[in-house]
Amino acid sequence: MPPKRNKEKPHLNIVVIGHVDSGKSTTTGHLIFKCGGVDDRTIEKFKKEAEEMGKGSFCYAWVLDKLKSERERGITIDIALMQFETPKYDVTIIDAPGHRDFIKNMITGTSQADAAVLIVAAGTGEFEAGISSNGQTREHLLLAFTLGVREVIIAINKMDTTSPPYSEERYKEIKKEVGAYLKKVGFQVPRVPFVPISGFKGDNIDTLTSNMSWWKGAKVQTGEKGKEKEATVNFLTEALDNVTPPTRHFTKPHRLPLQDLNKIGGIG
């Protein structure tokens, strides 16, 4: 049974985007687990099943990747939606595929979002592959902006795999390059938090990690235009709560994304 919605909290739709194998599903699954969206027993079940298939590190990804083909190939094919709560928001999170073959599914997921979390892998060669002209990091950011997403969180993932592990220099290098592209696309970079995380290990997901002594949080602008104030974002759930509450324009033209089409046979 999915958790009941908290109608007292404002609702927020978040899409998770980024290059293939950047750790989107693992980070999203671990975030849902930390926020109480799935229980310990379910995660232990997934750990056991994943280890039996020789994919022990995929246990959190399996919270969202439910198709047999997704689990066998280790990639997300269709979008998956799950609900959890942060201290401020009732969140629906949309895990979008990163593989370029399934870009239509990514567009379907992003068209439903109020804000986006871009997962960028910090591992040697992984960031470079994603940010290259053939990678999906640039493409996903541009598509998100085109579809009307104006708030984005940059989660610099796999910090435990940098050389040396949890490297501040690598974080700064990625922040500089991604920040330049964000500005080029049209995002307001001073409002964008860059949070170093490890989706698998759980660093900076819902609490401040002890593995990055250099990390003092990201200083960002928040609030309505003309009434901005500075805030410090230390970890991922804080970044979600820093998103400006979306305005629902009920009197304006409606865009209805179609996720699935089903044909039912038979008579009547």
Side-chain angles (χ1 to χ4, degrees), residues 37-266:
V38 291
D39 56 24
D40 293 323
R41 183 193 239 167
T42 304
I43 293 297
E44 286 304 317
K45 176 176 172 281
F46 288 153
K47 280 182 180 177
K48 185 179 178 183
E49 292 174 355
E51 284 168 2
E52 286 172 358
M53 288 183 65
K55 298 177 181 286
S57 63
F58 284 75
C59 57
Y60 293 111
W62 283 13
V63 171
L64 296 129
D65 292 343
K66 300 182 186 299
L67 298 177
K68 184 182 177 184
S69 54
E70 289 179 318
R71 293 185 172 186
E72 287 176 349
R73 294 175 64 181
I75 60 171
T76 302
I77 294 173
D78 200 1
I79 62 170
L81 292 86
M82 285 194 75
Q83 184 258 337
F84 65 90
E85 288 182 28
T86 65
K88 182 177 178 180
Y89 286 116
D90 171 36
V91 179
T92 296
I93 198 154
I94 308 161
D95 183 35
H99 198 287
R100 64 188 313 160
D101 289 354
F102 311 113
I103 192 71
K104 289 180 182 178
N105 292 341
M106 176 268 170
I107 291 170
T108 300
T110 306
S111 66
Q112 302 172 45
D114 300 311
V117 176
L118 175 76
I119 306 289
V120 180
T124 305
E126 290 185 276
F127 167 67
E128 288 75 14
I131 203 72
S132 70
S133 57
N134 293 322
Q136 268 60 65
T137 302
R138 291 172 184 265
E139 185 178 27
H140 282 199
L141 278 174
L142 185 56
L143 281 169
F145 191 84
T146 303
L147 289 164
V149 175
R150 292 294 178 267
E151 292 207 51
V152 64
I153 297 159
I154 310 298
I156 301 176
N157 191 26
K158 302 188 182 182
M159 287 298 294
D160 55 309
T161 68
T162 61
S163 182
Y166 301 104
S167 168
E168 183 181 7
E169 290 305 311
R170 183 63 165 166
Y171 166 81
K172 288 179 176 177
E173 176 190 353
I174 292 170
K175 181 183 177 183
K176 181 180 179 182
E177 191 157 349
V178 175
Y181 187 71
L182 285 169
K183 187 176 181 180
K184 184 179 178 182
V185 169
F187 287 101
Q188 296 180 48
V189 180
R191 299 180 72 96
V192 178
F194 289 77
V195 184
I197 67 166
S198 170
F200 182 63
K201 295 283 183 69
D203 295 296
N204 283 346
I205 296 292
D206 67 331
T207 53
L208 193 62
T209 183
S210 59
N211 290 321
M212 290 177 261
S213 58
W214 51 268
W215 175 244
K216 307 299 181 189
K219 298 250 187 305
V220 292
Q221 288 182 5
T222 186
E224 297 177 18
K225 191 173 182 180
K227 299 179 181 178
E228 294 96 340
K229 59 182 180 180
E230 190 175 83
T232 301
V233 172
N234 294 296
F235 40 85
L236 198 50
T237 53
E238 270 193 355
L240 294 176
D241 281 347
N242 191 58
V243 172
T244 303
T247 303
R248 312 292 181 194
H249 299 286
F250 296 109
T251 60
K252 294 193 175 181
H254 179 58
R255 179 175 67 191
L256 178 67
L258 294 179
Q259 187 172 327
D260 285 305
L261 292 173
N262 295 296
K263 186 177 181 181
I264 303 172

